[in-house]
Amino acid sequence: MPKEIVVIIGGPGSGKSTVINGLMEKGFCCYPEISRQVTIEAQKEGIEQLFLENPLLFSELLLEGRKKQYQNALSEPHKIVFIDRGIPDVLAYMQFIGDEYPDHFDKACKEHLYTKIFILPPWEEIFTSDQERYENFEQAKNIDLHLAETYKKYGYELIEVPKDTVDNRILFILDKI
């Protein structure tokens, strides 16, 4: 069982996946963001943006996927497992679009507790949109606020990762664990 289940959060385009990939290259156990996979699977079914067309279904799929990641992380032999986004992200995004969510979303956040939360701030210079990312930079900043508020609601202390090179961001994270 790992000693640390660490989540890296932040609005779209803040560098989370790049940091996770860098940690993987250094030999750390990392679980990637699953929302892209859910989006790509829906696109194969002819649904261009499942999050926009059926936010509750999209969020249910994410919730189940993130709960599974958490359970898998518990059985890892590694001392540290890094996860790109956690369960509270699902609630933050639902709040961002103004949707209600069922009680079991809240329950999942209370039952699946992470060791540390690192937040990458919005960073316009590295922000890009692509096929799976529909948000613009202003929306990304708004999502960042919802993420911070949601994680704090569940009692997490957020550790802000400075805007810096990927290697320096990784060193900062490792130094805080």
Side-chain angles (χ1 to χ4, degrees):
M1 182 169 164
K3 292 184 174 132
E4 305 271 348
I5 299 178
V6 177
V7 178
I8 298 177
I9 67 169
S14 58
K16 292 176 308 302
S17 297
T18 303
V19 167
I20 287 283
N21 291 338
L23 285 162
M24 284 182 3
E25 288 170 14
K26 293 185 183 313
F28 288 94
C29 179
C30 300
Y31 291 6
E33 161 64 278
I34 59 170
S35 66
R36 284 181 178 270
Q37 195 55 44
V38 171
T39 299
I40 290 166
E41 290 300 317
Q43 287 172 345
K44 288 179 188 172
E45 301 292 322
I47 303 168
E48 195 54 39
Q49 277 295 347
L50 182 58
F51 177 65
L52 298 177
E53 293 179 40
N54 191 338
L56 186 56
L57 174 60
F58 181 82
S59 297
E60 288 280 2
L61 294 170
L62 283 184
L63 181 67
E64 290 311 308
R66 294 211 174 114
K67 283 167 48 177
K68 186 172 184 195
Q69 281 186 323
Y70 182 88
Q71 293 304 322
N72 291 342
L74 288 176
S75 61
E76 287 286 351
H78 307 278
K79 290 184 173 154
I80 305 169
V81 176
F82 291 97
I83 303 178
D84 188 342
R85 295 197 180 281
I87 293 169
D89 282 66
V90 180
L91 284 71
Y93 271 81
M94 293 295 284
Q95 291 165 351
F96 165 69
I97 63 168
D99 271 12
E100 300 284 321
Y101 49 83
D103 289 341
H104 69 272
F105 280 58
D106 179 62
K107 186 177 176 196
C109 289
K110 292 174 180 172
E111 292 176 347
H112 301 80
L113 301 176
Y114 304 105
T115 313
K116 284 196 169 59
I117 308 296
F118 288 92
I119 186 166
L120 279 63
W123 191 356
E124 193 163 16
E125 289 75 20
I126 67 168
F127 181 86
T128 57
S129 292
D130 61 27
Q131 197 62 22
E132 291 85 40
R133 178 181 298 139
Y134 66 88
E135 304 95 350
N136 62 36
F137 185 68
E138 287 305 310
Q139 290 168 319
K141 288 195 305 188
N142 194 357
I143 290 168
D144 179 76
L145 294 173
H146 282 281
L147 288 166
E149 181 181 291
T150 301
Y151 275 87
K152 287 176 185 173
K153 172 185 165 191
Y154 289 101
Y156 291 107
E157 178 187 328
L158 305 181
I159 303 166
E160 185 169 321
V161 179
K163 296 175 185 176
D164 204 336
T165 65
V166 176
D167 284 339
N168 284 345
R169 287 178 130 189
I170 290 170
L171 287 172
F172 176 86
I173 291 168
L174 295 175
D175 187 53
K176 299 290 182 191
I177 292 178

